[in-house]
Amino acid sequence: MPDDVVTMDKIVSLCKRRGIIFPASEIYGGIANTYDYGHYGVLLKRNVVDAWWQAMIGDRDDIVALDSAIIQHPRTWEASGHLAGFTDPLVDCRTCGQRFRADHLDAEHDVRCPRKPSVLPGQGPDCNLTEAREFNLMFETTIGPVQEAGSTVYLRPETAQGIFLDFKTVLGFARRKPPFGIAQVGKSFRNEITPGNFIFRTLEFEQMEMEYFVPPDDAHRWYLHWLEARMDWYERLGIRGDHLRLRAHEQDELSHYSSATSDVEYLYPIGWQELEGIANRGNFDLTQHAQHSGEKLEYFDQQSGERYVPHVIEPAAGVGRATLALLCDAYDEDQIGGEARTVLKLHPQMAPVKVAVLPLVRKDGQPELAHEVRNLLRRRMQTEYDEGGSIGRRYRRQDEIGTPWCVTIDHQSLEDRTVTVRDRDSLSQDRVAVDELPAFLEARLAAPWESPKLAV
Ligand code: ATP
């Protein structure tokens, strides 16, 4: 792994220490592959989702938003192919009782025998693996008070199908025609048994998916358009370009309905892995749902008199994986005045807190002026007030969560109503009049930004 890739242990420990992201159900000993987001984690994740909505419906006119149900009619998953084919091959060990993915029993996936961690499962002296069995990743539940009498339904394993089910309805009210898209953000659920790698692979996760419906002949052109647009988006979040790549799927990796798929990959601590998949799904989904439901899912172009089933380009991203990529890309350790600091060099627009307001001392009218400054800023950007501990410790606390600016109120502030603005990355200190502070910070927030880690 290159030196500029942080270890997962460091990310996990920072996230836990600062309550950004931590194991769920901890008082009961935790539950595999399930995490909770604390205050700063929620803010960071919300910034990712907001940036995605901005790119989908703020910056463009050809996409509309949708929020479809998590539990859909069970025939949805018959039509989509998930019921029959959304499976992983699993093996059980009769000795230790653990379950493993048969396709992950190699050094690359680093899955270890629980009894003898120096070897892969199946290679220990006592290992006794079963044959591989296909295991469906969808979570099942029952509608109705009595399990036996109720009907089996599934928690959605992707948000996309809800979009296809609503295609006709949306077409009816959205006053759009192909090319146009329907975008959705929401939770999906997969019964993943592979050990987690923190939030990279979890049982429940948020997806940001957009189905872009196009005339069949234009599908490839739009596929290329979305490859570029999505790579650009990650760079705009401040992720270093040399830690991002597009990887086209080989022919034998493609789903049966996809004519082309590429993954946006990030160089995580566990190597190059998928952040987002961008697929040319053809007309598979609409055709399947039309057949299973008996509804016509097509577009009639009144101008040309042409009737067709649109083809679909799908950029499908994970909020957790984007959040993890941001954390990994921003994590840094450096020295200030001989003291080590941990700092998240996040793009200011992604930082959970934009500005911390810190009175130098807790007396002489400084806290009062600091509250006034905090109130001046809080409606414009996420602001935090902190008066606890030495100023150095307070700076370190903000550095660790990636706050780009700390505003310090000192003795001089009370005389001339100026404050100092300390920059997280350059450590520069600017003296700014309180009245000019909102405009000063808003300009800094809007300014072009590039990771300072690139300069090293
Ligand atoms: P993988 O091959 O890593 O299992 P996938 O190809 O099955 O992922 P898709 O079905 O294309 O994933 O889902 C789109 C996106 O949703 C992925 O790129 C990823 O960001 C996110 N995602 C999928 N499964 C999970 C999971 N179990 N935990 C967190 N995010 C996930």
Side-chain angles (χ1 to χ4, degrees), residues 86 101 158 190 192 199-207 209 273-277 314 316-319 321:
F86 194 52
R101 264 179 67 170
E158 60 175 39
R190 294 183 190 179
E192 305 268 11
I199 55 168
F200 181 79
R201 188 179 299 286
T202 48
L203 299 187
E204 51 181 278
F205 52 97
E206 266 176 283
Q207 288 188 307
E209 296 196 293
Q273 295 284 344
E274 175 178 339
L275 245 181
E276 165 161 354
E314 174 194 80
V319 179
R321 288 196 192 171

Side-chain angles (χ1 to χ4, degrees), residues 85-342:
F86 194 52
T87 54
D88 279 339
L90 297 186
V91 294
D92 292 300
C93 178
R94 296 184 187 94
T95 311
C96 69
Q98 292 285 313
R99 186 165 272 190
F100 309 96
R101 264 179 67 170
D103 54 338
H104 284 186
L105 297 179
D106 52 28
E108 193 195 326
H109 288 89
D110 205 29
V111 182
R112 298 279 146 188
C113 167
R115 294 229 168 152
K116 194 164 187 265
S118 59
V119 301
L120 301 174
Q123 294 184 352
D126 302 325
C127 295
N128 184 357
L129 300 186
T130 61
E131 289 295 305
R133 282 178 302 122
E134 291 299 324
F135 171 81
N136 199 298
L137 275 86
M138 285 199 293
F139 283 104
E140 253 180 56
T141 187
T142 320
I143 296 184
V146 188
Q147 198 172 358
E148 293 72 34
S151 55
T152 301
V153 289
Y154 303 90
L155 302 188
R156 66 180 176 201
E158 60 175 39
T159 65
Q161 297 303 323
I163 297 180
F164 298 123
L165 302 193
D166 285 343
F167 168 76
K168 200 172 161 188
T169 312
V170 174
L171 197 60
F173 64 66
R175 294 174 38 244
R176 297 289 197 292
K177 58 182 225 168
F180 84 103
I182 305 178
Q184 156 151 259
V185 176
K187 278 226 167 154
S188 293
F189 304 81
R190 294 183 190 179
N191 199 352
E192 305 268 11
I193 64 110
T194 30
N197 288 321
F198 196 35
I199 55 168
F200 181 79
R201 188 179 299 286
T202 48
L203 299 187
E204 51 181 278
F205 52 97
E206 266 176 283
Q207 288 188 307
M208 306 179 283
E209 296 196 293
M210 196 274 293
E211 308 303 316
Y212 199 71
F213 301 93
V214 301
D217 291 346
D218 296 347
H220 190 64
R221 188 165 63 79
W222 282 110
Y223 170 68
L224 298 179
H225 166 91
W226 283 108
L227 294 186
E228 199 184 318
R230 296 306 301 147
M231 281 294 280
D232 278 359
W233 185 76
Y234 287 103
E235 292 202 28
R236 288 209 304 279
L237 298 191
I239 297 179
R240 291 165 294 171
D242 58 353
H243 285 61
L244 281 171
R245 74 178 185 195
L246 256 185
R247 188 184 67 81
H249 283 204
E250 304 289 338
Q251 207 61 32
D252 59 359
E253 265 181 279
L254 290 176
S255 325
H256 57 284
Y257 50 79
S258 174
S259 59
T261 297
S262 292
D263 290 342
V264 177
E265 294 188 335
Y266 176 72
L267 186 52
Y268 287 101
I270 48 174
W272 286 102
Q273 295 284 344
E274 175 178 339
L275 245 181
E276 165 161 354
I278 301 151
N280 181 346
R281 298 177 74 108
N283 62 9
F284 173 78
D285 305 274
L286 290 180
T287 307
Q288 284 292 107
H289 288 300
Q291 272 168 13
H292 282 73
S293 67
E295 287 281 344
K296 278 204 174 109
L297 300 178
E298 52 189 27
Y299 176 71
F300 176 62
D301 188 336
Q302 288 182 330
Q303 264 164 1
S304 67
E306 205 190 343
R307 189 179 287 283
Y308 62 86
V309 180
H311 282 212
V312 172
I313 311 302
E314 174 194 80
V319 179
R321 288 196 192 171
T323 304
L324 182 60
L326 280 174
L327 287 167
C328 296
D329 215 64
Y331 186 97
D332 211 1
E333 291 168 353
D334 57 15
Q335 299 262 332
I336 299 183
E339 237 190 85
R341 80 163 174 166
T342 299

